[in-house]
Amino acid sequence: MRRSGFLALLILALLGLARGAIEFDDEYEEEEEEEEEVKLPPNRQKPAASGALEVSKTAQEEKQTPVSFTLEHALNDDTFTPCGIFTAKATHSPNVQAVRLTELRLKRDPTSADSEKKLVKLLEYDRHYRVRVPNNVFGSEKGRYVMASLPLKCLVNADLNENYVLHLDDLGNIVAMDYTTPSGECIMEEVAPPEEWKFNPLAFVRLPKDAPRLNPDFSAQGPGPKQTGAEGEDLAAGAVNTFEGSEEDAKKKPPQSFFKRYWMYLVPLGLIVMNTIIAPPPEEQPRGKAKTR
């Protein structure tokens, strides 16, 4: 009887201890939530004076600088002469050390009588029409150009409509130039020289893009755990961002309750105690019965 009472008291003590630990964890979680509500996010700071705001806005404004550079063509051998001028606006951002070229336009010079004769000869001999630009929009080094060419017969079949696509880096260097017809096709059919050599150019700019970051969880045996990035982000970049954010999410997880942490010890102990209480007492032999041999 005393043993049963002791076991019952032990069970009540364990249950009380577990309940107190759970209540303590709940109070701890509530305190953490209140602290998070009181804390301001890092991007919210105390508003500065109006004058300081005006200065910061002025410093962060993008600056635009007009630029121009010459287009040259070759009508015989390797002699290049000016035939047009590119105009654009170079945008400088204070936050990013890069130059962005916008509003690119090309104005072709009128074709002279001497140039028309040379163009007719190029068409008769089925030669290429070559053009070149400086290797930098702000002024190239001497003797450095980016050149492209197209069969003159293609241009004449396209009614002298031409497209220029300049590929630039962050410093304003022209790393490549595409020179094509508007459709991108090159029709090599025999054609007569046009009555008027009037070119109709269109100019475009292609700016560099950051390559997608590799997924560190990807292995040669196959992809790792599924990673999901934000909307509009690249899949590999989204996977890296999710991988980096997982550590922060793990740190922010609230602590588990006492019962959740030690349930594997409490459950067997409770089963042992219950089994001891419910087990029937051992049978005793009657005292008056004598032993027989």
Side-chain angles (χ1 to χ4, degrees):
M1 187 68 180
R2 292 180 181 177
R3 185 179 180 182
S4 301
F6 174 75
L7 293 175
L9 291 175
L10 180 60
I11 293 172
L12 291 175
L14 289 174
L15 293 176
L17 181 61
R19 183 178 179 182
I22 293 172
E23 291 178 355
F24 174 77
D25 291 338
D26 294 339
E27 292 177 359
Y28 181 76
E29 291 175 3
E30 291 177 359
E31 290 178 359
E32 280 191 346
E33 291 178 357
E34 291 177 358
E35 290 179 359
E36 290 179 357
E37 291 178 358
V38 172
K39 289 181 180 179
L40 292 174
N43 56 357
R44 290 187 60 187
Q45 299 178 356
K46 186 177 179 180
S50 59
L53 288 175
E54 291 178 359
V55 172
S56 62
K57 287 182 179 179
T58 305
Q60 292 180 359
E61 288 181 355
E62 295 181 345
K63 298 180 180 179
Q64 288 188 344
T65 305
V67 295
S68 61
F69 48 98
T70 305
L71 173 71
E72 299 179 352
H73 64 178
L75 301 179
N76 55 354
D77 300 331
D78 294 330
T79 305
F80 283 86
T81 56
C83 64
I85 185 169
F86 284 96
T87 58
K89 291 183 178 180
T91 303
H92 305 264
S93 177
N95 299 328
V96 181
Q97 295 181 353
V99 179
R100 293 291 181 264
L101 207 66
T102 58
E103 301 181 18
L104 182 64
R105 301 287 185 272
L106 172 60
K107 183 179 180 181
R108 293 291 298 255
D109 298 335
T111 308
S112 62
D114 183 49
S115 297
E116 288 184 356
K117 294 179 180 179
K118 294 178 180 180
L119 288 170
V120 171
K121 289 184 178 181
L122 285 178
L123 183 62
E124 291 178 355
Y125 292 110
D126 197 9
R127 303 289 296 275
H128 278 66
Y129 178 67
R130 294 174 294 166
V131 293
R132 72 179 186 182
V133 292
N135 69 335
N136 191 288
V137 298
F138 300 105
S140 64
E141 299 179 9
K142 185 177 180 180
R144 292 185 175 272
Y145 297 91
V146 178
M147 187 175 63
S149 64
L150 193 66
L152 186 58
K153 191 178 293 184
C154 293
L155 286 175
V156 176
N157 281 305
D159 298 329
L160 299 180
N161 296 316
E162 52 184 359
N163 281 9
Y164 294 84
V165 180
L166 304 182
H167 299 265
L168 276 70
D169 62 6
D170 292 333
L171 301 178
N173 294 315
I174 302 176
V175 296
M177 178 175 64
D178 298 337
Y179 182 45
T180 61
T181 60
S183 63
E185 299 179 354
C186 182
I187 302 175
M188 296 295 292
E189 297 178 357
E190 294 295 331
V191 62
E195 295 181 359
E196 183 181 6
W197 290 88
K198 184 179 179 180
F199 293 88
N200 305 307
L202 287 177
F204 305 93
V205 177
R206 292 291 181 269
L207 301 175
K209 295 182 180 180
D210 294 335
R213 298 175 63 185
L214 298 178
N215 184 359
D217 295 330
F218 184 84
S219 61
Q221 297 177 356
K226 185 177 180 180
Q227 305 287 343
T228 56
E231 294 182 3
E233 293 183 355
D234 189 82
L235 180 60
V240 173
N241 291 337
T242 306
F243 176 76
E244 293 176 352
S246 61
E247 295 182 359
E248 298 178 359
D249 296 340
K251 293 180 180 178
K252 293 180 180 178
K253 287 183 179 179
Q256 295 181 350
S257 63
F258 178 81
F259 184 78
K260 289 182 180 179
R261 289 197 299 265
Y262 303 108
W263 66 269
M264 68 288 294
Y265 305 110
L266 295 176
V267 171
L269 180 60
L271 292 176
I272 293 172
V273 173
M274 295 297 294
N275 193 14
T276 305
I277 296 174
I278 299 173
E283 296 181 358
E284 296 181 359
Q285 296 181 357
R287 295 179 181 179
K289 189 175 180 180
K291 294 182 179 180
T292 58
R293 291 182 181 178

